[in-house]
Amino acid sequence: MKRIDPAALSPFLAIATHRSFRRAAVDLGVSPSALSHALHSIEERLGVRLVNRTTRSVALTEAGERLFARIRPAFRDISDALEDLNAFRGQPMGTLRINAARQSAQLALMPIVTRFLRAYPDVRVEVRVDDALSDIVAEGFDAGVRFGESIAADMLAVPLGPRQRSAVVGSPEYFTRHAVPRTPYELRDLPCIRYRFLSGVLYRWELERDGEEVQLEVDGPLTLTDQSLMIDAALDGIGLAYVFEGLVGPLLEQSRLVRVLEDWCPSYPGFFLYYPSRRQLPAALRAFVDFARAPA
């Protein structure tokens, strides 16, 4: 085995973290072909194969898994040591990577990010919109944004943005053909637009009034995995949609959509910013957490 500078292992570390040549290349700011060449050079110098790569997947070999497990804490300690230097700077700097579901990014995250960037011009923020429940540590993110019940117990979490509320909406044209529901149970006889999670599970509409909780599996001609598309379909009169109130406010004001069962839609805790309970928070993340906690 030829001697190798530990710093030269960063291409392998990025690949092992992301399990993707494309994402690792973006993270390092190089081309996938350059990254592939760098990995090949590392494997040649070590004399072992570290990564098995096919056209559809990237997996570590047994040797790669063992090396990754050993060097990852060391590189994290180096990163933490460099972050300590931020205490000597006037302002935090660096890149903050956040993973967020589409609606959480739209309703809670982005309004705070835009204000944060004005307050901290030396920080860059990268947001990946991802409706799957990703492992933010394994994929190299600093933080994520989700509902509280979706967050792993070993994460720290702080409320992000206001409380949320849902709304049952349909177009005026829809209600020329269908009766206005007065109770949730009448939804069973009306065409609705269903929502399917990326896991494949159909969402059961959750409604509540005066302590009475109702969960309904509605029916209808259209099933979607995106609330923006559900709103478009509701505007076209396809069915009733159950979506975040914040996404349809202007459409309700313009009378392009009509709201029903409003008294069955109470507010509930909104989204949370969550991050690993590490000993040392990156300065940019620490500044963002403090910023999110402060009143707007």
Side-chain angles (χ1 to χ4, degrees), residues 264-287:
W264 283 89
C265 297
S267 65
Y268 46 84
F271 302 102
F272 288 78
L273 177 78
Y274 67 97
Y275 51 94
S277 52
R278 287 176 54 187
R279 179 182 70 257
Q280 178 74 27
L281 279 186
L285 176 58
R286 184 168 58 249

Side-chain angles (χ1 to χ4, degrees), residues 170-178 233-239 255-258:
S171 70
E173 185 270 336
Y174 174 91
F175 289 111
T176 64
R177 295 180 284 110
H178 301 283
L235 287 167
D236 288 337
I238 299 299
S255 299
R256 297 181 61 195
L257 287 175
V258 176

Side-chain angles (χ1 to χ4, degrees), residues 5 18 33 44 49 70 85 92 107 112 128 163 166 173 179 196 211 218 242 288 296:
D5 185 343
H18 294 287
S33 60
E44 277 200 332
R49 188 173 184 85
R70 292 292 300 274
L85 297 178
L107 293 170
I112 295 176
R128 185 200 291 177
R163 290 175 65 86
S166 295
E173 185 270 336
R196 189 183 295 278
V218 298
Y242 188 55
F288 189 79

Side-chain angles (χ1 to χ4, degrees), residues 9-21 24 39 42-43 48-54 57-72 138:
L9 292 172
S10 57
F12 165 72
L13 185 69
I15 294 167
T17 298
H18 294 287
R19 306 297 164 113
S20 163
F21 272 75
L39 175 66
I42 293 169
E43 290 177 326
V48 293
R49 188 173 184 85
L50 301 173
V51 176
N52 287 323
R53 182 185 184 187
T54 70
S57 66
V58 172
L60 300 185
T61 64
E62 183 180 356
E65 290 283 7
R66 182 173 298 183
L67 179 63
F68 182 50
R70 292 292 300 274
I71 69 172
R72 189 181 189 187

